[in-house]
Amino acid sequence: MSGGYPAVLLLIALVGLGCRGSDGASPADLGSRRNSVGYRVIDLPYPAGPKGDTLTLAVWYPTTAEPSPLHYGGRVHGHVAVDGAVDTEHGPYPLLLYSHGYGGCALAAAFFTEALAGQGWIAVAPDHHDKQSAVRTRTGAQEGWDRRAFVRDAKRITESGPEDRAAYLYRLDEMRLALDGILASEPFGAIIDTGRIAVGGHSLGGFTALGVAGTIPEYQDERVRAILLFSTG
């Protein structure tokens, strides 16, 4: 990918944002929570979307409610307060906007996003409208999805180059919609530190995060201050 930020952008981790938990301590140990974690699913209006008219977001955040075990689906389990009250006393909180890999859903990194919220972050992940979607946040595994088409599309993605970007730019549009939506939402908009916004992603989600961080200049979002990549595409 060309243009935008220098290569050093790839080395910026969350700590590079200067993001710290609500008590000012650096979130070094994600296994030791300081906060109870709330979990909520939000649907944003998305009439221009490639599929349907909504964009679904999964949101993890510090809460004052008591968490309990949650089976997200498949083999993914957590410990959260579903729709629990937001802890507004210890904000504002840094935000991570996370993009999943091709064909996945917002819960793809729940092991990480939930733990991050336990360290005093708000973590938001959209269900991207990929051509093939094996699973969705609200409805789980998709019956009848075309596994062969998924593998074919994944192979095409791995072989793609800058000239093929146009086919995947819908993901960057969805990241902007997700960020605009969460910042405008109640109660989250009022407790997000807009000076500490990071994006992250895995595989094709890494491409997505890089695009809004500046590697595709026309999609660069100036609100993004740091980036976290898992096995980026």
Side-chain angles (χ1 to χ4, degrees):
M1 288 176 284
S2 62
Y5 287 0
V8 71
L9 178 65
L10 297 174
L11 302 178
I12 300 178
L14 294 181
V15 67
L17 184 57
C19 292
R20 298 179 179 273
S22 56
D23 63 359
S26 179
D29 181 8
L30 293 181
S32 177
R33 297 187 179 187
R34 294 194 303 271
N35 307 276
S36 295
V37 177
Y39 170 69
R40 188 173 301 182
V41 179
I42 298 173
D43 291 317
L44 298 178
Y46 189 27
K51 291 183 180 180
D53 58 0
T54 61
L55 179 68
T56 298
L57 309 181
V59 186
W60 294 263
Y61 54 92
T63 182
T64 56
E66 187 69 23
S68 59
L70 174 69
H71 181 207
Y72 289 108
R75 298 181 180 180
V76 184
H77 296 263
H79 197 74
V80 297
V82 177
D83 293 325
V86 178
D87 181 356
T88 58
E89 182 180 352
H90 298 98
Y93 304 104
L95 170 72
L96 173 71
L97 181 62
Y98 183 85
S99 177
H100 62 76
Y102 181 75
C105 75
L107 302 178
F111 70 93
F112 176 72
T113 49
E114 183 180 318
L116 197 63
Q119 295 297 318
W121 285 68
I122 293 175
V124 178
D127 268 8
H128 287 299
H129 289 89
D130 297 327
K131 187 176 181 181
Q132 305 293 334
S133 293
V135 62
R136 300 278 81 185
T137 294
R138 284 201 178 276
T139 56
Q142 301 298 284
E143 293 185 7
W145 74 284
D146 193 333
R147 187 180 300 271
R148 290 185 177 181
F150 172 82
V151 173
R152 185 170 58 248
D153 287 352
K155 184 175 184 295
R156 184 181 299 115
I157 291 170
T158 64
E159 296 172 348
S160 65
E163 68 279 3
D164 303 307
R165 285 176 177 164
Y168 312 110
L169 294 179
Y170 66 90
R171 279 174 152 258
L172 281 68
D173 291 330
E174 290 172 353
M175 290 287 273
R176 179 174 289 276
L177 176 61
L179 182 53
D180 288 345
I182 199 66
L183 291 176
S185 70
E186 293 292 341
F188 298 108
I191 59 168
I192 292 172
D193 185 342
T194 56
R196 298 190 292 171
I197 295 175
V199 293
H202 168 251
S203 193
L204 187 61
F207 156 80
T208 309
L210 281 166
V212 298
T215 60
I216 304 178
E218 61 270 32
Y219 282 86
Q220 181 178 347
D221 193 319
E222 298 287 352
R223 295 170 293 187
V224 173
R225 303 294 301 278
I227 188 166
L228 173 70
L229 304 177
F230 298 151
S231 300
T232 182

